[in-house]
Amino acid sequence: MKSFKNYMPSFLYGFSFCILLLFLLQQGILFFSIDKDQKSNENILTFQKIEDMYNLILDTYYEPVDTAELLNSMLETMLNNVDFHTTYIPYQDHLRQSEEMSGNFYGIGIQFSLFKDTIVVVRVLPDGPAQSTPLLAGDRITHVDGKEITGPNIKNELVLNTLRGDKGTNVKLTILNSSKEIKEISLNRGEIPLHSISSSYFINPNIGYIKIDKFSSTTYSEFIDHTNNLINKGAEKLILDLRGNTGGYLDQAVAITEELLEKGLGIVSVKGQYRNEIIYKSNYNGQLSNFPLVVIIDEGSASASEILAGAIQDNGRGEIVGRPSFGKGLVGEEFSLGDGSVLRLTVARYFTPSGRCIQKEMENDYNYSYDTSNYEDYFLNNIDSTKIFKTLDGDTVFGGGGIYPDYFIQPEFMSNSVSSFFTENLDKIDELTFQFIDLNRARYSSTKEGFENLIIDNKNNLISMISSDLDEYDNFSNIEKDEIYLQLEVLTARNFLSTKEFVYFVNNNDSAYLKSINLLNSEL
């Protein structure tokens, strides 16, 4: 017979699980036909079986079971028969995601990398708590509050959880600097902004460039600040880069789109089985409504990014350049499950102003083909050519398969031999490029000019490091070696430059970016 002590955890977890199931039923999340008594009784019996199985596992399994892990797996299994955008998010994961989307967190203000099982400071962030301390790029953090934080078990998540904390709380760091001196640094955690716009800059003679990485709660206000700055510098045209932007908050995407449109134009409509239709339109002439505009997208542009790009394309407002977008035409909402965890549930579809839903059908997987001979055909096959729509200026667009660009830019790929070289040796190459930066960090500023000087002065040293540690390098042809070096430059720049400077560096040789400039200079 169970003792009361042993029975209570089982009862509480089982009871909580049943409460969760009842909540899901009330929200219309479980698609059971509960109007019929027979079906309702079957569902109740099924819930009872789930609880019985859970109790049996806890009480009779041959070894201890992690109850939290078991419950999480049950919740995740429940979602196998709905779209994969509907997900259960445990408390800790949701906490981290909420920080990312809120636009700030409390920490010490550094960008770090893990190198040889040690935290290495890559950059001290401006205006953060660490800026007023002796902490410098290249320093190794060995202890936090007296506790060693090195070794093979150290992971990014552990570092983040250790360095972040409540506002104003004190943290003591032990560091090993480039001179092999051990120092103690004490500082208080402060607010660290998480910018959703990673880069913006002015391009002569009159073009502004803005890259939006996600649509967080601060994106619209960031966008206004960046555009005002560009206008003050003389910008009269705009490139909006949404590549790799997987989406975010709908209201932020709508607000930015409104700044790009004239009054009265459609932006998006949203409708679901349990959601009344909501139609979003521009309520005023946007600040940038008269700016010639190019939006750059790729297969990583999804959801809110596609809403913005779709509104621009359907209203004939600007040109879309790049590669077809991801194809997520669904809207999700988060439902709290009481313990900090949430259910992110798909509740509606959205439709662009022309009336199309760009959702890629579920049977079409989301793994993209990288065969240069059929890359464009792959996306065309995902478009539903039976669903034909017209943009405001009369162009034909299709439903399904994402947003197809007005100007398709073929992706640039490494040769198979060079791709294999990087795939097989990526960890070692990362280590070598990091060592290269470490050896030269003190002599060059972390600006694009500093990076250019670093590469000019030390190109042969970088190649020598790769050649010495990776024997197969010497077997490549000169053309392949040139290709390898270009990739080494990018890897080095990623670890040396700020995000803004890195975006500028990569864009200089980017086909979609250069095409966008040419279009704007040719007066769209």
Side-chain angles (χ1 to χ4, degrees):
M1 181 177 178
K2 295 179 185 174
S3 69
F4 181 73
K5 181 178 179 181
N6 289 334
Y7 176 71
M8 279 302 291
S10 173
F11 169 76
L12 289 173
Y13 278 116
F15 180 73
S16 299
F17 186 63
C18 286
I19 291 296
L20 170 64
L21 292 173
L22 289 173
F23 167 78
L24 296 177
L25 280 169
Q26 290 170 349
Q27 295 294 328
I29 293 169
L30 295 180
F31 303 110
F32 296 131
S33 177
I34 58 176
D35 293 333
K36 298 180 180 179
D37 290 341
Q38 181 180 357
K39 193 67 176 177
S40 180
N41 289 334
E42 289 176 2
N43 293 336
I44 292 172
L45 289 173
T46 299
F47 298 159
Q48 184 61 53
K49 281 193 289 185
I50 292 172
E51 184 180 4
D52 290 345
M53 288 174 61
Y54 177 79
N55 286 331
L56 283 168
I57 291 171
L58 289 189
D59 296 337
T60 61
Y61 194 63
Y62 77 100
E63 63 181 7
V65 175
D66 185 326
T67 54
E69 186 175 330
L70 179 61
L71 283 169
N72 284 343
S73 67
M74 292 168 70
L75 294 172
E76 290 165 358
T77 300
M78 187 188 300
L79 304 178
N80 285 345
N81 292 319
V82 294
D83 71 285
F84 82 97
H85 299 294
T86 293
T87 56
Y88 166 71
I89 307 173
Y91 167 67
Q92 284 294 339
D93 293 343
H94 185 247
L95 184 65
R96 183 71 64 232
Q97 291 177 18
S98 296
E99 285 181 347
E100 294 291 328
M101 296 304 290
S102 68
N104 65 75
F105 66 93
Y106 298 107
I108 65 173
I110 64 167
Q111 182 181 335
F112 69 88
S113 182
L114 296 179
F115 179 64
K116 291 189 174 180
D117 302 329
T118 304
I119 304 168
V120 181
V121 178
V122 173
R123 187 165 295 103
V124 176
L125 301 179
D127 302 322
Q131 190 181 38
S132 59
T133 74
L135 197 63
L136 297 172
D139 287 347
R140 271 67 171 164
I141 299 176
T142 61
H143 295 74
V144 177
D145 290 330
K147 184 178 180 180
E148 186 175 4
I149 190 164
T150 61
N153 294 324
I154 186 172
K155 305 294 181 187
N156 274 327
E157 190 67 19
L158 172 63
V159 178
L160 290 173
N161 290 336
T162 303
L163 296 181
R164 294 182 181 185
D166 294 332
K167 181 179 181 180
T169 53
N170 183 260
V171 59
K172 294 180 175 60
L173 307 178
T174 303
I175 67 163
L176 180 68
N177 65 20
S178 57
S179 301
K180 306 302 180 185
E181 298 172 326
I182 297 175
K183 291 187 176 182
E184 302 289 336
I185 295 177
S186 177
L187 68 165
N188 294 329
R189 295 180 176 93
E191 183 175 335
I192 310 298
L194 286 171
H195 298 299
S196 58
I197 294 180
S198 59
S199 183
S200 74
Y201 53 84
F202 181 75
I203 306 166
N204 281 324
N206 58 359
I207 299 174
Y209 169 88
I210 298 177
K211 180 169 177 56
I212 305 178
D213 290 334
K214 60 178 179 285
F215 290 96
S216 72
S217 61
T218 61
T219 304
Y220 175 68
S221 61
E222 290 179 48
F223 180 78
I224 294 300
D225 290 342
H226 282 274
T227 53
N228 286 338
N229 181 51
L230 291 170
I231 290 170
N232 289 336
K233 291 180 178 179
E236 299 173 352
K237 306 173 184 179
L238 181 65
I239 297 172
L240 194 57
D241 193 342
L242 300 180
R243 287 176 293 183
N245 183 329
T246 57
Y249 293 136
L250 172 65
D251 65 322
Q252 299 292 303
V254 168
I256 290 174
T257 306
E258 200 165 13
E259 294 294 343
L260 303 170
L261 298 178
E262 294 180 349
K263 182 179 179 179
L265 294 177
I267 297 175
V268 68
S269 61
V270 177
K271 187 176 182 180
Q273 183 176 357
Y274 301 102
R275 294 291 184 272
N276 293 327
E277 184 177 23
I278 301 174
I279 299 174
Y280 296 89
K281 290 188 174 183
S282 53
N283 294 310
Y284 55 88
N285 289 327
Q287 181 184 16
L288 306 171
S289 60
N290 63 340
F291 272 44
L293 173 67
V294 173
V295 178
I296 310 178
I297 60 172
D298 67 4
E299 60 276 8
S301 307
S303 193
S305 293
E306 294 173 297
I307 287 174
L308 190 156
I312 297 304
Q313 188 174 59
D314 284 7
N315 286 302
R317 171 61 187 86
E319 302 293 350
I320 310 298
V321 172
R323 299 192 292 276
S325 62
F326 185 84
K328 185 189 176 197
L330 305 174
V331 177
E333 288 183 18
E334 289 187 353
F335 295 84
S336 174
L337 299 179
D339 62 349
S341 64
V342 300
L343 177 68
R344 183 173 294 157
L345 179 70
T346 298
V347 297
R349 288 180 180 268
Y350 71 78
F351 301 86
T352 68
S354 66
R356 56 180 167 149
C357 179
I358 53 86
Q359 173 67 17
K360 185 184 295 183
E361 293 303 321
M362 289 300 293
E363 61 264 29
N364 295 326
D365 65 47
Y366 287 83
N367 296 313
Y368 294 98
S369 168
Y370 290 101
D371 180 352
T372 56
S373 64
N374 68 2
Y375 192 89
E376 187 172 9
D377 289 342
Y378 174 84
F379 288 100
L380 289 173
N381 289 338
N382 285 311
I383 290 174
D384 188 345
S385 59
T386 66
K387 297 177 180 177
I388 300 173
F389 302 86
K390 292 291 184 180
T391 67
L392 203 60
D393 54 4
D395 290 339
T396 299
V397 290
F398 300 96
I403 302 295
Y404 195 84
D406 302 304
Y407 294 89
F408 177 84
I409 304 298
Q410 185 75 21
E412 298 172 4
F413 298 101
M414 289 184 280
S415 62
N416 290 335
S417 57
V418 172
S419 177
S420 297
F421 174 71
F422 275 91
T423 301
E424 294 167 7
N425 300 289
L426 186 57
D427 288 343
K428 187 62 178 178
I429 292 171
D430 257 342
E431 178 183 323
L432 291 171
T433 54
F434 199 91
Q435 283 180 353
F436 173 74
I437 292 170
D438 241 16
L439 291 170
N440 296 285
R441 195 188 302 274
R443 297 190 294 129
Y444 299 91
S445 63
S446 57
T447 62
K448 58 180 181 292
E449 292 81 9
F451 180 73
E452 288 169 359
N453 291 331
L454 166 67
I455 292 300
I456 291 171
D457 296 345
N458 299 279
K459 175 179 179 179
N460 291 336
N461 292 338
L462 177 57
I463 294 173
S464 178
M465 291 176 70
I466 297 295
S467 176
S468 298
D469 279 72
L470 298 170
D471 294 337
E472 58 265 47
Y473 174 83
D474 293 328
N475 298 326
F476 286 108
S477 68
N478 288 335
I479 293 176
E480 290 170 322
K481 287 179 179 178
D482 288 342
E483 191 179 349
I484 289 172
Y485 181 71
L486 288 176
Q487 297 302 319
L488 291 175
E489 270 197 7
V490 172
L491 287 173
T492 306
R494 185 188 65 187
N495 285 319
F496 185 82
L497 296 172
S498 68
T499 303
K500 177 179 178 178
E501 299 281 10
F502 177 68
V503 170
Y504 182 86
F505 169 79
V506 172
N507 277 345
N508 282 332
N509 294 301
D510 181 80
S511 298
Y513 172 81
L514 297 175
K515 177 65 175 180
S516 300
I517 293 175
N518 288 337
L519 285 170
L520 290 174
N521 284 336
S522 301
E523 293 295 337
L524 290 173

